[in-house]
Amino acid sequence: MNFDQATFELPANLRALLTTRDDDNAEPQGLPRRSFLKLTAAGGFALGVFPAAVLAQDNSKNAAAAASAKPAGLKPLQQPAAFVRIDRDGTTTITINRLDFGQGVQTGLPMILAEELDADWAKVKSVHGSNDPAYVDPAFGMHITGGSGSIKNSYTQYRELGARTRAMLVGAAAAQWKVDAATLQTRDGFVIGPGGKKLGYGELAAAAMKLPVPETVKLKDPKDFRLIGKPTGQLDAEAKSSGQQSYGIDMKLPGMLTAVVAHPPVFGAKVKSVDDKAAKAIKGVKAVLRVPLDRGAEGVAVIATGYWPAKQARDALKIEWDASAVEKVDSDKQLVQFRELATKPGARKYDADVSKIASAPHKINAEFVFPYLAHAPMEPLNCTVSLSGGKAEVWTGTQMPGIDGMAAAKVLGVPPENVKVNVQMAGGGFGRRGLLTSDFVVEACGVVKAAQAAGIKAPIRTLWSREDDIKGGYYRPMHLHTAKIGFDAQGNVTGWDHVIVGQSLLMGSMFEPMMVKDGIDATAVEGMKEPYALPMRLTVHHPKLNVPVLWWRSVGSTHTAFVMETLLDEIARTTRQDPVAYRMKLIGDKHPRHKAALQLAVDKSGYGKKKLEAGRAWGVAVHESFDSVVAYVVEASVKDGTPTLHQVTAGVHCNLVVNPKSVEAQVQGGAVMALSMCLPGAAITLKDGVVQQSNFGDFVVPRMTDMPQIAVFTVPSADAPTGMGEPGLPPLAPAFANAVAAITGKPVRELPFKLA
């Protein structure tokens, strides 16, 4: 997801549900901010652990009482509160306020906090948080992992958390030694005093927890960093590589049952009739129940002692579906409709004069088609729910635990403060676990509610198969772009008339008031025009269709970067200009980060200097998304009509690099995911309302044989870090396409590539 922080503001009622109030500085129920709780069972302490799953309500008596017991102006997310625990042996456990689903924040955020804490990194661990108000994103005031904002938005927050914790430990040591705290130093989990004597952080825990949290702290000069900027292995690497890592799908609770749901083949359809005799006859099946789904649909849940009997029983169901009241989208007809819509007047993002196109000596008249795309994470969707005594607990890998908690409360009929969402490690997601509709959580809660009405009180784990998600999930929207461009022999653009047709991600959502302006969804046009000074008229159409859509890694830039960077390359080729030099000229002096990233990729790749193997060509693209710039220089070939990507060199400008290994991994992962957009078979299509793909047999992803060599280089910077979860994706496909066009002489204007 991409949010403009300068203009983003949640509606007051939602902010009140997700955060404390600024006007009364209300605190989550229970713990005064100057207090700390001993964890007697573990023999350690947590710095101000907040009771989980308590949403700050406007009329909360507990919040009002707690407000009088805290330092003015200090908010929960600025506290060591729910974030730091130090055991007696010095083990430091840091809670992350995000979902880690492969992007490495379970290491990156602890690195930032441990840096200011001067912790012993060998003793640092990390865990996920919950929907506790302490874990809201400090920039957005809501629980969210998205927009490549985890490190970017929490960089200062986690530095201050570490510095506050360190100050309290130093204060405890100073009191014990009866010396001035200013004379003490810290290093690797120790406070160092006069004469070199030491006290371990674990030894100081009990005393430190009695001290107040300092309101202001001095942060390190970046030149003194010992952890930040150093290539660091992931804290969860051993568990993942040895198969010991637990994911949401691995949840086990006493007496837990498993459910799978038969989803309608057409979005929004309902159950007309169901014959469940054969299903109920399968050993282990406890119940077959109708359940409501999101988008007004209805499904049939099979609850059993495990996944296999539940799936077998679901396969044995005989269901007649009623899709009479819903639209049945057909991809071929949809493209015809989009083309017709592109010729009509629409909302305008840019409105430059394009009258000079007709008289330009050179013209481009282009159409681009981008299909629906599935997220297809390695771990299928899952959610475990326990409901008892008017309280609910949820275990799932979610990007929005606060929203999911409220959705669960609504379905289950319990107060929001009685729902605890435990964020679980997730095996991928790419945006799929960040729904405003909370579809898989709503489904799981609906299963539990129906089960309890049928007398089943056990916790239930609801599992999706990959086929369930690919055939019945949410998708990157299909888009059509048209462009009419006029330019002269020097490549000066005299007019650029551009149209985008595609479903809106945000219309009808809570983000519409902030991010849909004049009928244009901001996520659909991000990446258009900038950083190039171009006379562009941009028209946008957002048709409404019965296909659920959602952000897909790098959101609008998945299509806008391809269009911009391939069209600019085509202008450069037409006017016989070097594509790098042409971009540098258009970028000018207003965007030095773009130029630095592009120059770095050029220098490291040997572009223009290294002799390529016979049949290979260079391809170039540069794009900014989520405040980071990634430039690619690639080598590719085409043999028997099949393009192959051989070598990729990335130049990255993301300001300060917290963990070079994570940045490298994210760029490589983004490049591979972008490569998937280029391969034949990488598309979601519909026929009579039914998705035609179901698994990796017919929805293509790159294999080992498709993988190029990828080298990643970063531009040095001491400025606060920007996002890196998504920016590696957008420029790869256009760089690859530009190399193919250089070989074939024909531009690539459709994803997946079609060279015929």
Side-chain angles (χ1 to χ4, degrees), residues 152-458:
K152 177 175 65 175
N153 296 348
S154 283
Y155 176 67
T156 300
Q157 175 193 14
Y158 270 66
R159 290 186 69 188
E160 290 183 350
L161 287 166
R164 287 193 171 93
T165 307
R166 175 186 173 278
M168 295 164 65
L169 293 163
V170 169
Q176 184 169 328
W177 287 329
K178 295 182 173 55
V179 297
D180 184 353
T183 66
L184 305 182
Q185 296 180 328
T186 56
R187 182 104 185 205
D188 295 333
F190 287 92
V191 178
I192 305 170
K197 58 184 177 181
K198 295 181 179 180
L199 280 172
Y201 285 176
E203 300 174 82
L204 294 166
M209 74 178 191
K210 298 175 184 177
L211 300 178
V213 180
E215 291 206 44
T216 59
V217 286
K218 183 179 180 180
L219 302 179
K220 288 183 180 181
D221 188 309
K223 67 179 177 57
D224 297 323
F225 286 161
R226 296 169 184 163
L227 274 174
I228 293 176
K230 298 257 181 11
T232 303
Q234 299 295 322
L235 290 175
D236 53 13
E238 182 177 351
K240 286 181 174 177
S241 60
S242 62
Q244 298 178 66
Q245 177 65 56
S246 178
Y247 296 86
I249 200 171
D250 300 315
M251 272 303 301
K252 293 180 181 179
L253 296 172
M256 183 184 78
L257 298 174
T258 297
V260 297
V261 176
H263 301 92
V266 178
F267 300 115
K270 298 182 182 297
V271 177
K272 187 174 183 180
S273 66
V274 57
D275 180 348
D276 58 10
K277 291 179 182 178
K280 287 182 175 180
I282 292 175
K283 184 179 178 181
V285 172
K286 299 296 183 181
V288 178
L289 305 167
R290 288 192 180 192
V291 291
L293 307 177
D294 79 325
R295 304 188 295 271
E298 187 181 21
V300 180
V302 177
I303 302 172
T305 53
Y307 176 75
W308 187 240
K311 182 185 183 301
Q312 284 184 306
R314 184 184 66 174
D315 294 344
L317 292 171
K318 297 177 181 178
I319 305 173
E320 186 177 356
W321 299 98
D322 180 6
S324 59
V326 295
E327 178 191 18
K328 300 174 184 63
V329 175
D330 185 288
S331 295
D332 292 337
K333 295 177 181 178
Q334 182 181 1
L335 180 57
V336 173
Q337 294 167 354
F338 276 23
R339 283 172 172 158
E340 182 181 357
L341 194 55
T343 64
K344 298 181 179 179
R348 290 276 167 78
K349 172 64 176 177
Y350 304 119
D351 203 6
D353 179 11
V354 295
S355 61
K356 296 180 181 179
I357 294 177
S359 59
H362 296 284
K363 301 180 185 65
I364 292 175
N365 193 345
E367 176 188 273
F368 295 83
V369 179
F370 302 92
Y372 289 108
L373 293 175
H375 299 80
M378 186 58 64
E379 180 198 14
L381 297 172
N382 57 85
C383 181
T384 301
V385 181
S386 177
L387 176 63
S388 179
K391 293 186 177 181
E393 198 159 359
V394 177
W395 293 264
T396 190
T398 170
Q399 294 173 246
M400 295 183 173
I403 288 177
D404 286 344
M406 289 189 289
K410 183 177 181 181
V411 174
L412 297 171
V414 300
E417 62 267 26
N418 285 359
V419 177
K420 179 181 181 180
V421 179
N422 302 285
V423 179
Q424 305 294 292
M425 177 71 76
F430 317 114
R432 180 63 179 91
R433 302 177 191 271
L435 272 83
L436 301 177
T437 59
S438 304
D439 72 326
F440 62 99
V441 175
V442 166
E443 176 178 298
C445 291
V447 169
V448 168
K449 186 176 181 180
Q452 295 222 341
I456 299 174
K457 305 301 181 184

Side-chain angles (χ1 to χ4, degrees), residues 68-84:
S68 63
K70 51 99 182 101
L74 209 57
K75 297 180 181 180
L77 72 170
Q78 296 172 306
Q79 302 288 315
F83 295 87
V84 186

